[in-house]
Amino acid sequence: MPPAAATPALGAGPLLLIAACAIVALLVLIMRFRMHAFLALILVSLLTAFAAGIAPEKVVKTLTDGFGQTLGTVALLVGLGAMLGRLVEVSGGAQALADDLIKLFGEKRAPLALGVASLIFGFPIFFDAGLVVMLPIIFSVAKRLGGGLLRYGIPAAGAFSVMHVFVPPHPGPVAATELIKSDIGLVTLLGLLVAIPTWYVTSYLFGLWIGKRIEVKVPEILAGGPQAARDPNPPKSSTVILLLLLPLAIIFVNTGLDFLAAAGVFERKAQWFQVARGLGSTPIALLVAVLVGSYVLGTGRGRSRIEVEKLLDGALGPICAITLITGAGGMFGGVLRESGIGAALSHTLNDLGLHVFVAAYVIAAALRVAQGSATVALITAAGLVQPAVAAAGYEGTDRAAIVIALAAGSVIASHVNDSGFWLVGRFYDMDLKTTLKTWTVLETLISVMGFALAGAVFVIF
């Protein structure tokens, strides 16, 4: 969680008006005047920082800090994931696995198969890393069967999203569980009970529906363009599966250690624990997968080291714009946090006297809309409602349901201040309007249904 913002220079009303004007300006610049998203985000972030009263000497630092923090998380994952995806794609492995999936599940159930696989992969791996790993498979299935990318891409992306926001050991629900003093095992069980039906309705069924109405062509971004030469003798799909499972296994061990530490089994400060957590981090896991994949799908199959080097180098060029735009989205969110817009909004809502369960959802949702980051919204909202939860005397299932309500609020209405919005939109090669009509709607559906299911648990149990 980023450090707390400085005391706001303006009141809640002016700050919220500035935030609304900034978002409208960003939409107009990109959609009406066709300004490049990277430039528009920098320009609006700069103007918002000055308008919100951030000290002039801190403006540039605020911009670079927001940009750098996001890139520090995203750039390594996207870069290494793109390299792995390029190896899988150009070797013919993605196509081989896609063909076998279609044979096993049938053409009509291919979106379901991709979604279920993403749910499983999404348990230990973060949203952005998991999606990048799955992209070559999603693209290959979409090319093979036709019908546009959204039919296959929305169920998969939605699967990673619901697992990331509702289910420990992901950082948001784990931190909220600790703040609310709930039981980590109970939150995990309830998170799964909410995540799976929520995914089926809001991601799988919605993906089939929206895929018929909006056609998005399969991009060539991981293939290095249509001219890239495929291996005439592709690897077995089992080889591809094992390669994709390698980073997931490493990450699973890592997140499992974190889960056990949160449960009090291990001491976080132990030296061996810190070393194991470092070696099992997501960037290291993807690095290991790329190194292994370079041999298994490259030099081990007759390609020279120079060919493999050029292959990996070619994977980075197409994702440069994605990485920079995602970083700029983080910059915009960072400015909104530093300006105090999110804090002003949350404190205003906290004083309205809502029932604690409803207040948890509303505050998390407001923070999400105001500053973009689901994890920041979830953790901040949990801290704000924690005293009220303790004072009300809630225990057991009630506290777990409140954690899920916080999580549901934190995922609502992903838009231009969310780095994930730009990541999905650019990887799926969608313009701003299409991303709002698909990804933003998807995240809002996940939020509303997740809150409804958590509410049912809160009332019944």
Side-chain angles (χ1 to χ4, degrees):
M1 179 178 173
T7 302
L10 302 174
L15 284 174
L16 296 181
L17 179 61
I18 289 169
C21 291
I23 291 169
V24 170
L26 193 57
L27 295 175
V28 170
L29 286 174
I30 296 173
M31 298 174 67
R32 174 68 177 85
F33 292 100
R34 310 303 296 176
M35 180 180 285
H36 193 281
F38 181 59
L39 298 177
L41 282 162
I42 296 174
L43 177 60
V44 172
S45 297
L46 178 64
L47 295 177
T48 303
F50 280 113
I54 295 177
E57 67 273 12
K58 292 184 178 180
V59 168
V60 174
K61 186 177 186 301
T62 300
L63 297 179
T64 55
D65 283 353
F67 186 75
Q69 287 173 6
T70 302
L71 284 188
T73 302
V74 172
L76 280 175
L77 302 185
V78 172
L80 292 169
M83 285 181 166
L84 182 60
R86 182 77 181 276
L87 287 168
V88 172
E89 170 67 21
V90 176
S91 70
Q95 187 64 52
L97 180 54
D99 291 342
D100 285 350
L101 277 174
I102 293 166
K103 289 179 183 177
L104 181 62
F105 290 94
E107 294 187 2
K108 292 184 178 180
R109 288 189 290 271
L112 180 65
L114 287 172
V116 171
S118 298
L119 283 172
I120 296 171
F121 286 178
F123 186 81
I125 194 170
F126 289 1
F127 167 79
D128 40 12
L131 183 62
V132 170
V133 168
M134 278 295 292
L135 281 178
I137 313 304
I138 297 169
F139 290 174
S140 291
V141 171
K143 287 179 182 177
R144 168 80 163 74
L145 297 182
L149 175 61
L150 296 181
R151 174 179 172 84
Y152 311 95
I154 290 295
F160 285 112
S161 180
V162 298
M163 296 301 284
H164 185 82
V165 74
F166 289 123
V167 184
H170 292 286
V174 167
T177 298
E178 293 179 352
L179 286 168
I180 301 298
K181 307 298 182 187
S182 185
D183 180 76
I184 193 75
L186 190 57
V187 171
T188 301
L189 177 60
L190 183 56
L192 287 170
L193 291 176
V194 169
I196 293 173
T198 297
W199 165 79
Y200 185 82
V201 174
T202 67
S203 305
Y204 174 63
L205 295 181
F206 173 70
L208 297 181
W209 182 83
I210 198 68
K212 294 178 180 178
R213 287 156 178 80
I214 300 177
E215 182 178 355
V216 174
K217 295 181 179 179
V218 182
E220 297 285 349
I221 193 166
L222 295 182
Q227 78 284 354
R230 285 0 181 241
D231 192 327
N233 181 29
K236 296 180 180 179
S237 59
S238 58
T239 302
V240 178
I241 292 173
L242 289 174
L243 181 61
L244 296 181
L245 286 177
L246 175 60
L248 299 178
I250 296 173
I251 294 167
F252 183 78
V253 172
N254 190 46
T255 51
L257 287 173
D258 192 52
F259 180 88
L260 293 173
V265 177
F266 296 135
E267 175 57 50
R268 290 185 184 275
K269 295 182 180 179
Q271 184 69 23
W272 71 267
F273 184 85
Q274 297 295 330
V275 172
R277 288 274 290 149
L279 293 176
S281 62
T282 302
I284 301 301
L286 286 173
L287 173 63
V288 171
V290 171
L291 294 175
V292 173
S294 297
Y295 174 76
V296 173
L297 302 179
T299 55
R301 295 180 60 80
R303 292 182 183 268
S304 69
R305 293 179 181 177
I306 294 177
E307 286 180 302
V308 173
E309 180 190 4
K310 289 182 178 179
L311 194 65
L312 296 178
D313 183 64
L316 297 179
I319 56 94
C320 178
I322 292 174
T323 306
L324 291 176
I325 292 170
T326 302
M331 175 195 294
F332 184 43
V335 167
L336 296 180
R337 287 192 292 274
E338 179 65 24
S339 67
I341 288 171
L345 181 57
S346 64
H347 286 302
T348 300
L349 291 171
N350 203 29
D351 294 336
L352 291 181
L354 298 172
H355 187 283
V356 64
F357 183 83
V358 177
Y361 176 78
V362 172
I363 292 171
L367 285 168
R368 160 69 158 184
V369 173
Q371 54 77 44
S373 170
T375 301
V376 170
L378 176 51
I379 296 173
T380 304
L384 288 170
V385 302
Q386 189 274 332
V389 173
Y394 293 121
E395 297 292 342
T397 306
D398 286 341
R399 289 201 178 208
I402 291 171
V403 172
I404 300 303
L406 286 162
S410 73
V411 78
I412 198 170
S414 170
H415 64 99
V416 292
N417 61 359
D418 176 21
S419 59
F421 173 90
W422 298 103
L423 192 71
V424 173
R426 296 298 156 165
F427 262 128
Y428 282 10
D429 200 20
M430 298 187 292
D431 59 25
L432 182 61
K433 183 178 179 181
T434 304
T435 310
L436 288 167
K437 292 166 66 175
T438 56
W439 177 249
T440 303
V441 172
L442 168 65
E443 294 284 84
T444 303
L445 291 174
I446 290 172
S447 174
V448 172
M449 184 168 177
F451 176 64
L453 292 178
V457 172
F458 186 83
V459 171
I460 296 172
F461 298 99

